[in-house]
Amino acid sequence: MKQRPIFAAAAAVVLTSSILAGCSGGKTEQQAANAGSSGNTDTKQEAPKSNKPVKLDVIETGSGLPAPDQDQIKQEIDKAIGTELNLTVYASGDDYKNQLNVRMASGNFPDLFAVDRAQLKQFAEQGLLLDLTPYKDKLKTTVDFIGADSLKKGTQNGKLYAIAKSPQIPYNTFWIRKDWLDKLGMKPPTTPDELLEVAKAFTEKDPDGNGKKDTYGITGGKLGAFSPVFGAYGTGSPGNFYVKDGKLVNALYDPAMKDALAFIKKMIDAGAVDPELLSNNSTQQYQQKGIKGQAGIMWIDWPNVTKDEFVAQIKAVNPNADWIQLPALKGPGGQFEGSWDIGATPGMYAIPKVLEKNPEKLNKVIELLNFVSTKDTGSALVQFGIKGKHYNLENGKVMPTDLMGKEVGYSWLYQFTGRPEMEYLFVKFAKQAPYIEFANKQPRIQALNGFVDNPTGYNSADAQRFMDEELAKFVYGKRPLTEYDAFLKTLETSMNYKAYLDAATKQLNDLGFGK
């Protein structure tokens, strides 16, 4: 529900299964050879006619799936397209990876399964995934639904190996206590300098009127709390790739980065920032500081401020508390709320290569993907449930019934190609619609990290840890910014970041970014 942090250069998922580690020279290679030996790439081959439902085995992460005889979404899909769908979900991401690795290594392939970028790269290189490129025409409904940029997310070396879900939208903005502004006679800040002025006032001028100096200006989660400041300086968050002035840029090498870091240091030096900001490891930690009236500005998603349960908590502390959203700050580099990774996806699904030897089942998987991508039938079903039971249409608008939340709250598990995010949220969170729309409309730098794979030998976790530690030193005055270039040199050599930069640049250029 919330925007994924985008400070990581590219999230690396390390497959630790010993079974998978042994695949390269063992059974998996044989499975790959077998899977590819048929040479059956004729996408026009018709499946044998059969009146029996086609059994499909689908696996992914998730929770809340009811038993099949209580699963109304499954029953409706089976009835609509002639399947006997067997969906298995794993609540733990680690459990899912282990189960998927075991099945891929043993040749017990699911017919459709969720993958992350690391799994997509590895399984594609092992020849275990079906190249969907020749099937684009058959998948036209799906392709039209998810959009052209989503297709790039499932691509490896020019071939389409996975269907990425349709894009989500950004949720985060700066939120500020308007009642505190009013008490101090101040206006909502519109620039970084005004933000600093307000944050200092919230720290020093007793905005809650309790006679104690016990409040701070800004709280948030690590340097992500300053995303709009980076944006105002015209740079993405550290490690982001984006196109600037027609050229592909990594934010660490954007000249504006040092200026943004210097301004953040100025805010911290002024005492206007939550001193625990770097140790806030969860949204709930800084959200509660805002709710309890300990800070008056936080960069956070709308659900954590406007959902009924949090509104009640805010009002319980102070009935007059009034949180409002701030538009993106205007700064020397423009006006951006921060970065938004257009390469990120809430999920991707792949089909095993071996399925090309079973055209009846393959065609049915394609039919399933197209069905859940069809606006008035399958897509509506997996978003809202059964028409006339879980929702009604009034003048073309979806009106939920009481049964929607009670009976089909799990329907998202069947959204294999995603959903039209704004339409969906407006139905599910009608009361919060103005906040949703406000957050979505803010201008943002389009980061591209979600399209990037980690090259062999690059440990993104180690590099990210080093990056976080050194940037924290710069903004807290533990290391002078005059040593910034030396920091980059160490990152490139000791952390192999240069190899990552080169690989990412080639990959993004190949996808048409920055060329």
Side-chain angles (χ1 to χ4, degrees):
M1 294 295 292
K2 64 185 179 182
Q3 182 180 356
R4 192 184 65 163
I6 45 184
F7 276 72
V13 179
V14 180
L15 297 178
T16 55
S17 165
S18 59
I19 294 174
L20 191 62
C23 286
S24 60
K27 196 171 182 178
T28 300
E29 282 191 351
Q30 186 58 50
Q31 294 293 347
N34 292 341
S37 63
S38 71
N40 182 9
T41 58
D42 182 5
T43 61
K44 297 181 180 178
Q45 182 175 348
E46 295 298 329
K49 300 293 184 184
S50 172
N51 292 324
K52 293 183 179 180
V54 177
K55 294 183 178 180
L56 293 184
D57 183 17
V58 184
I59 65 171
E60 62 180 358
T61 56
S63 60
L65 185 69
D69 62 346
Q70 301 294 317
D71 187 345
Q72 298 180 58
I73 303 298
K74 163 195 157 51
Q75 292 164 9
E76 289 297 311
I77 292 175
D78 285 347
K79 190 166 56 179
I81 64 173
T83 53
E84 187 177 325
L85 198 56
N86 176 33
L87 175 63
T88 304
V89 300
Y90 297 87
S92 162
D94 288 340
D95 285 347
Y96 175 73
K97 287 175 185 174
N98 289 335
Q99 290 292 331
L100 178 59
N101 290 341
V102 168
R103 293 189 62 164
M104 298 300 280
S106 64
N108 180 23
F109 303 109
D111 301 312
L112 182 70
F113 52 97
V115 291
D116 59 27
R117 282 211 68 87
Q119 291 166 325
L120 175 68
K121 183 173 185 288
Q122 180 162 347
F123 294 150
E125 289 176 350
Q126 291 177 331
L128 298 177
L129 303 184
L130 181 64
D131 176 12
L132 299 174
T133 311
Y135 298 89
K136 280 186 182 178
D137 287 345
K138 283 190 171 184
L139 284 163
K140 185 177 186 310
T141 302
T142 297
V143 171
D144 289 346
F145 183 77
I146 66 174
D149 277 347
S150 293
L151 275 188
K152 296 177 182 177
K153 301 170 188 175
T155 299
Q156 290 281 315
N157 297 319
K159 294 181 178 180
L160 179 64
Y161 285 112
I163 297 296
K165 290 187 176 185
S166 54
Q168 292 188 310
I169 59 174
Y171 286 14
N172 281 49
T173 58
F174 262 149
W175 286 79
I176 190 167
R177 284 283 295 267
K178 183 176 182 301
D179 55 311
W180 284 14
L181 288 171
D182 293 344
K183 180 177 175 59
L184 300 178
M186 305 184 81
K187 294 181 178 178
T190 61
T191 67
D193 287 336
E194 290 179 8
L195 177 72
L196 173 57
E197 185 181 357
V198 169
K200 286 173 63 177
F202 281 2
T203 303
E204 298 170 353
K205 296 185 178 178
D206 191 24
D208 59 355
N210 67 356
K212 302 176 183 177
K213 189 178 177 182
D214 57 358
T215 54
Y216 286 101
I218 297 176
T219 189
K222 306 186 186 302
L223 289 183
F226 301 104
S227 289
V229 174
F230 287 112
Y233 277 85
T235 179
S237 299
N240 281 176
F241 288 93
Y242 46 93
V243 176
K244 187 174 185 178
D245 299 328
K247 295 181 180 178
L248 191 63
V249 176
N250 179 289
L252 290 173
Y253 296 81
D254 189 325
M257 175 55 66
K258 281 196 281 189
D259 295 335
L261 292 174
F263 184 81
I264 293 169
K265 180 178 183 299
K266 188 176 176 181
M267 298 189 76
I268 293 172
D269 289 346
V273 175
D274 173 10
E276 297 176 336
L277 183 132
L278 287 186
S279 60
N280 289 336
N281 290 317
S282 70
T283 301
Q284 285 66 38
Q285 282 182 284
Y286 58 85
Q287 176 221 35
Q288 286 300 311
K289 292 179 180 180
I291 288 175
K292 293 175 181 175
Q294 297 169 347
I297 306 168
M298 51 184 173
W299 196 68
I300 196 169
D301 56 273
W302 57 260
N304 274 297
V305 180
T306 64
K307 290 178 84 170
D308 289 347
E309 62 192 282
F310 302 127
V311 170
Q313 290 180 28
I314 291 168
K315 296 302 181 186
V317 175
N318 183 345
N320 297 318
D322 184 13
W323 286 94
I324 61 171
Q325 288 167 294
L326 276 184
L329 302 172
K330 294 179 182 177
Q335 184 178 18
F336 301 101
E337 185 62 31
S339 305
W340 173 249
D341 191 347
I342 64 170
T345 175
M348 289 189 289
Y349 290 84
I351 299 172
K353 183 174 176 59
V354 70
L355 220 60
E356 68 185 0
K357 294 188 289 188
N358 188 337
E360 182 185 28
K361 184 168 281 193
L362 175 56
N363 285 344
K364 197 57 74 174
V365 173
I366 291 174
E367 191 175 352
L368 171 64
L369 293 171
N370 285 335
F371 178 69
V372 297
S373 304
T374 304
K375 181 180 178 182
D376 294 329
T377 55
S379 180
L381 172 68
V382 299
Q383 289 183 75
F384 310 120
I386 301 170
K387 182 180 176 182
K389 182 176 184 181
H390 301 114
Y391 73 94
N392 294 301
L393 283 181
E394 295 182 11
N395 298 320
K397 186 177 179 182
V398 175
M399 304 299 292
T401 68
D402 291 341
L403 290 178
M404 181 187 285
K406 293 177 181 176
E407 293 188 351
V408 290
Y410 65 91
S411 69
W412 61 276
L413 294 168
Y414 288 92
Q415 294 169 4
F416 304 124
T417 58
R419 61 201 185 202
E421 193 69 4
M422 287 289 279
E423 296 174 29
Y424 176 82
L425 292 175
F426 279 5
V427 172
K428 296 281 186 173
F429 300 95
K431 193 185 300 183
Q432 287 81 15
Y435 312 114
I436 298 168
E437 194 164 20
F438 184 96
N440 187 48
K441 282 185 174 179
Q442 296 309 302
R444 297 173 198 263
I445 293 170
Q446 293 191 336
L448 306 168
N449 295 59
F451 294 111
V452 174
D453 296 311
N454 292 329
T456 302
Y458 172 67
N459 188 323
S460 65
D462 286 349
Q464 187 66 47
R465 189 180 308 110
F466 175 74
M467 189 189 309
D468 290 343
E469 290 173 353
E470 297 308 303
L471 292 178
K473 290 178 184 175
F474 288 131
V475 297
Y476 277 88
K478 305 297 183 185
R479 186 176 183 182
L481 271 169
T482 52
E483 294 184 7
Y484 187 83
D485 291 344
F487 147 69
L488 290 181
K489 188 69 176 177
T490 304
L491 184 65
E492 290 174 6
T493 53
S494 300
M495 298 294 152
N496 213 17
Y497 202 71
K498 181 67 165 58
Y500 170 68
L501 286 173
D502 292 343
T505 299
K506 181 181 185 310
Q507 192 172 1
L508 291 171
N509 284 164
D510 289 345
L511 289 173
F513 296 110
K515 289 187 73 177

